[in-house]
């Protein structure tokens, strides 16, 4: 089992940058693929980015590709989401998520239904 704590959100002007962090407690962090999702008011939760347990594979939503980078530090049990060139439409609560991977070090799932553990969320607000 793993517990996740999201942080790093805030208010930023359009065009600015933020770096979100997700700290995981528990054992075997490197056994988990990690993902970031977001949910804006009155909208469904949507995929943002995912990284395989080894870090060798990543996936990004088309809406953020080229502006967002997901990374992880398995020694520090932390996953990051670097967001650049932020737009007002990026405003949402951002959640990190973890999925235990038994086989396949390169798997980085994009469906929220695959993830077993979730952080509490961190608010990102981008002003125009």
């Amino acid at each position: 089992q793993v517990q996740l704590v999201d942080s790093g959100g805030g208010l930023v002007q359009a065009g600015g940058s933020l770096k979100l962090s997700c700290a995981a407690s528990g054992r075997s962090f490197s056994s988990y693929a990690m993902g970031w999702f977001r949910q804006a008011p009155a909208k469904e939760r949507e995929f943002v980015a995912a990284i395989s347990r080894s870090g060798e594979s990543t996936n990004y939503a088309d809406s953020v590709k080229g502006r967002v980078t997901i990374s992880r530090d398995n020694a520090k049990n932390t996953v990051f989401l670097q967001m650049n060139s932020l737009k007002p439409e990026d405003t949402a609560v951002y959640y990190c998520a973890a999925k235990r991977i038994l086989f396949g070090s390169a798997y980085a799932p994009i469906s929220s239904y695959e993830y077993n553990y979730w952080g509490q969320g961190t608010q990102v607000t981008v002003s125009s």
Side-chain angles (χ1 to χ4, degrees):
Q1 191 169 354
V2 64
Q3 294 181 325
L4 306 174
V5 178
D6 309 323
S7 63
L11 174 64
V12 63
Q13 289 188 331
S17 298
L18 279 176
K19 186 173 185 177
L20 307 184
S21 299
C22 174
S25 62
R27 296 163 61 179
S28 302
F29 177 71
S30 60
S31 297
Y32 292 85
M34 301 297 295
W36 284 97
F37 293 79
R38 67 186 183 186
Q39 188 165 18
K43 292 188 176 181
E44 293 187 354
R45 188 170 297 188
E46 65 174 359
F47 169 74
V48 177
I51 189 166
S52 62
R53 64 179 190 179
S54 64
E56 66 186 273
S57 296
T58 57
N59 285 315
Y60 295 95
D62 288 343
S63 59
V64 303
K65 201 170 290 183
R67 301 188 295 119
V68 164
T69 302
I70 188 171
S71 61
R72 65 189 296 160
D73 184 339
N74 284 348
K76 296 183 178 180
N77 286 11
T78 305
V79 63
F80 304 97
L81 189 71
Q82 177 68 49
M83 302 189 294
N84 301 322
S85 303
L86 284 163
K87 305 175 182 180
E89 51 263 45
D90 294 318
T91 295
V93 178
Y94 284 70
Y95 300 89
C96 73
K99 174 183 171 58
R100 183 84 181 267
I101 302 293
L102 297 178
F103 302 102
S105 63
Y107 186 45
I110 66 172
S111 170
S112 63
Y113 295 104
E114 294 204 54
Y115 288 86
N116 310 108
Y117 305 99
W118 292 84
Q120 83 286 359
T122 185
Q123 176 71 47
V124 171
T125 303
V126 184
S127 63
S128 57

